[in-house]
């Protein structure tokens, strides 16, 4: 399932393509025909995300709510000159298409695709935990910690619980626990407030780079190279490298001990057997 940075990046792409316009909205597949008719030709005001939920606000208080789930894909692409008049051909099962002659956005296989009102948007967001990619008034870390500190569930489970922290997926949870030497099976109620603040601040620091580059960055040397490339005006080539994620049996990049693996709550978990001890 895409992690939160992917949804924020997608919201930015939708805004760049359609915000302030009244695009043509259709459902080539037919399963969203009624919803598409409500949005077709109306002003698209803005697109935004909270965690793994994506919202596209149209005029008259209508909002398109999308949850990609495990298999959903949404691509926003420029339209080739040859297709400016008729639109590009539909490929595959396209639940929703947004187009304006210059850009096209095709949505396939989402878990949720609905037109909702402002009250439902508020309800959906209220069910989520704080999002490290959202502006923070200083209360977000406290809100998440209240749930963590009362729970006997493991940190690994809590970080993947979208009602605790919105947008964190498997890669970020494995990597940020490694970065702070926290054993993933440690119960949430044993975590000190100061330790959680360090984790939260790290997510706030790292996840915007995922939005900016489209690639999850959790290693400091990769981040330094990326910042340097951007400083030179270059497009950084970000390698898909991680400290523990999908590195079962390989040496930890920090201490050389073996990276371990276990399935927890149906998801693959990776951690260092030495520098992430339970104690």
């Amino acid at each position: 399932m895409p992690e939160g940075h992917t949804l924020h990046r997608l919201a930015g792409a939708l805004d760049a393509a359609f915000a302030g316009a009244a695009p043509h909205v259709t459902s080539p597949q037919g399963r969203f025909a009624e919803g598409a008719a409500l949005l077709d030709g109306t002003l698209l005001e803005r697109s935004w995300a909270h965690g793994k939920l994506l919202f596209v606000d149209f005029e008259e208080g209508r909002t398109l709510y999308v949850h990609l789930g495990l298999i959903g894909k949404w691509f926003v692409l420029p339209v080739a000159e040859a297709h400016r008049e008729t639109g590009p051909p539909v490929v595959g099962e396209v639940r929703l298409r947004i187009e304006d002659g210059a850009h096209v956005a095709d949505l396939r296989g989402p878990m949720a695709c609905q037109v909702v009102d402002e009250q439902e948007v508020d309800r959906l967001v209220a069910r989520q935990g704080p999002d490290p990619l959202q502006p923070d008034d200083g209360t977000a870390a406290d809100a998440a910690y209240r749930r963590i500190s009362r729970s006997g569930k493991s940190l690994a489970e809590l970080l993947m619980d979208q009602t605790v922290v919105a947008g964190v997926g498997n890669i970020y949870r494995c990597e940020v626990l490694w970065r702070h030497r926290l054993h993933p099976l440690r119960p949430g109620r044993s975590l000190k407030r100061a330790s959680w603040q360090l984790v939260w601040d790290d997510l706030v620091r790292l996840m915007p780079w995922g939005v900016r580059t489209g690639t999850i960055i959790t290693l400091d040397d990769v981040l330094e190279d990326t910042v340097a490339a951007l400083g030179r005006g270059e497009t950084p080539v970000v390698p898909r490298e991680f400290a523990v994620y999908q590195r079962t049996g390989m040496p930890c990049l920090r201490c050389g001990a073996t990276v371990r693996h276990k399935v927890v709550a149906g998801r693959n978990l990776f951690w260092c057997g030495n520098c992430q001890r339970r104690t």
Side-chain angles (χ1 to χ4, degrees), residues 1-244:
M1 185 181 296
E3 304 204 21
H5 73 284
T6 300
L7 281 304
H8 282 265
R9 185 175 173 88
L10 178 56
L14 288 166
D15 258 3
F18 305 113
H24 187 33
V25 183
T26 59
S27 178
Q29 180 193 59
R31 290 183 58 186
F32 187 62
E34 185 176 341
L38 291 173
L39 304 177
D40 185 34
T42 62
L43 179 67
L44 192 158
E45 297 174 341
R46 66 163 185 151
S47 304
W48 56 284
H50 186 94
K52 299 181 181 182
L53 310 184
L54 181 66
F55 301 95
V56 185
D57 293 338
F58 288 80
E59 62 182 339
E60 299 181 5
R62 293 171 178 158
T63 295
L64 173 66
Y65 155 59
V66 172
H67 192 316
L68 292 179
L70 290 172
I71 63 171
K73 302 288 184 183
W74 205 348
F75 297 98
V76 184
L77 300 169
V79 175
E81 188 66 35
H83 297 135
R84 289 290 173 90
E85 295 297 326
T86 61
V90 176
V91 178
E93 295 292 317
V94 177
R95 181 81 57 87
L96 166 71
R97 168 171 281 193
I98 303 176
E99 57 184 322
D100 67 353
H103 295 88
V104 61
D106 281 349
L107 173 65
R108 299 177 178 86
M111 184 173 75
C113 178
Q114 305 167 16
V115 177
V116 298
D117 59 21
E118 295 176 5
Q119 290 72 29
E120 180 63 8
V121 170
D122 291 342
R123 189 187 71 83
L124 288 165
V125 172
R127 289 166 50 186
Q128 303 289 298
D131 181 350
L133 287 167
Q134 289 280 14
D136 179 16
D137 61 2
T139 64
D142 285 335
Y145 185 69
R146 279 195 295 271
R147 297 192 177 189
I148 292 170
S149 62
R150 297 169 184 168
S151 178
K153 290 184 178 180
S154 68
L155 294 178
E157 292 174 278
L158 291 166
L159 279 177
M160 290 284 282
D161 185 341
Q162 298 301 296
T163 68
V164 176
V165 183
V168 173
N170 200 13
I171 300 176
Y172 277 119
R173 72 105 177 240
C174 290
E175 294 290 296
V176 78
L177 289 174
W178 174 84
R179 287 172 63 86
H180 295 278
R181 300 175 182 262
L182 294 169
H183 195 288
L185 301 182
R186 177 178 177 172
R189 60 183 172 227
S190 73
L191 185 67
K192 294 181 179 180
R193 178 64 180 81
S195 296
W196 168 244
Q197 188 67 52
L198 292 173
V199 172
W200 174 262
D201 290 345
D202 214 16
L203 290 170
V204 171
R205 171 177 174 253
L206 294 174
M207 292 183 72
W209 289 102
V211 179
R212 184 167 183 177
T213 66
T215 303
I216 294 176
I217 303 174
T218 60
L219 298 177
D220 288 336
D221 57 342
V222 175
L223 181 55
E224 290 170 3
D225 291 343
T226 301
V227 173
L230 290 170
R232 295 191 296 269
E234 302 172 359
T235 300
V237 177
V238 184
R240 185 179 168 84
E241 296 178 357
F242 304 112
V244 290

Side-chain angles (χ1 to χ4, degrees), residues 170 173-174 183-185 244-250 257-274 276:
N170 200 13
R173 72 105 177 240
C174 290
H183 195 288
L185 301 182
V244 290
Y245 180 72
Q246 291 188 338
R247 299 188 72 246
T248 307
M250 299 174 68
T258 301
V259 173
R260 299 185 180 182
H261 165 261
K262 183 176 183 176
V263 177
V264 175
R267 301 298 300 273
N268 291 306
L269 177 65
F270 307 91
W271 76 98
C272 173
N274 177 54
Q276 288 177 267

